[in-house]
Amino acid sequence: MDVLIHLFVGLHIIGIASLLGGFLTQMKAMGQGTARFVPAMLHGALTMLVTGVILVGLNQADDQPVDNIKIGVKLALLIVILGLVYVKRDEEKVDKGMFGLVGLLTTANVFIAVLWT
């Protein structure tokens, strides 16, 4: 079970890297007001959602403790991120504030995962 959990943790990290990497590649464009949500951001957020749900299930099946409040907060942030990215995915440029919010929420999600014990 540990190998399976570690496999999905790795996939979850790949999802985070895709979402945050997509954001970071658009930072220069954000400064110019031409930033857009790239497909990697949507795919990364969806990967995070699927692997996160699987991880919760695997940890509960393995009788490991799961902090449901922490998971709920992370899920709420991810749903907001997914909503913003999904709705605006086809637009040529996205408002700086909305684009920055996605980056902020993604970074907050990472810090919640690492620091909330």
Side-chain angles (χ1 to χ4, degrees), residues 96-117:
K96 286 182 185 181
M98 184 179 299
F99 194 79
L101 179 63
V102 168
L104 178 70
L105 292 175
T106 302
T107 304
N109 218 344
V110 170
F111 281 109
I112 288 169
V114 173
L115 299 175
W116 188 331
T117 56

Side-chain angles (χ1 to χ4, degrees), residues 52-104:
V53 169
I54 292 171
L55 280 168
V56 168
L58 288 174
N59 280 306
Q60 287 180 342
D62 198 28
D63 290 329
Q64 295 183 18
V66 176
D67 187 346
N68 290 320
I69 296 173
K70 174 183 174 180
I71 298 303
V73 169
K74 287 178 56 57
L75 179 61
L77 292 177
L78 185 56
I79 287 172
V80 171
I81 292 167
L82 263 170
L84 291 172
V85 173
Y86 185 79
V87 168
K88 299 290 188 177
R89 72 187 185 280
D90 291 331
E91 294 189 9
E92 281 300 313
K93 53 184 175 177
V94 179
D95 179 57
K96 286 182 185 181
M98 184 179 299
F99 194 79
L101 179 63
V102 168
L104 178 70

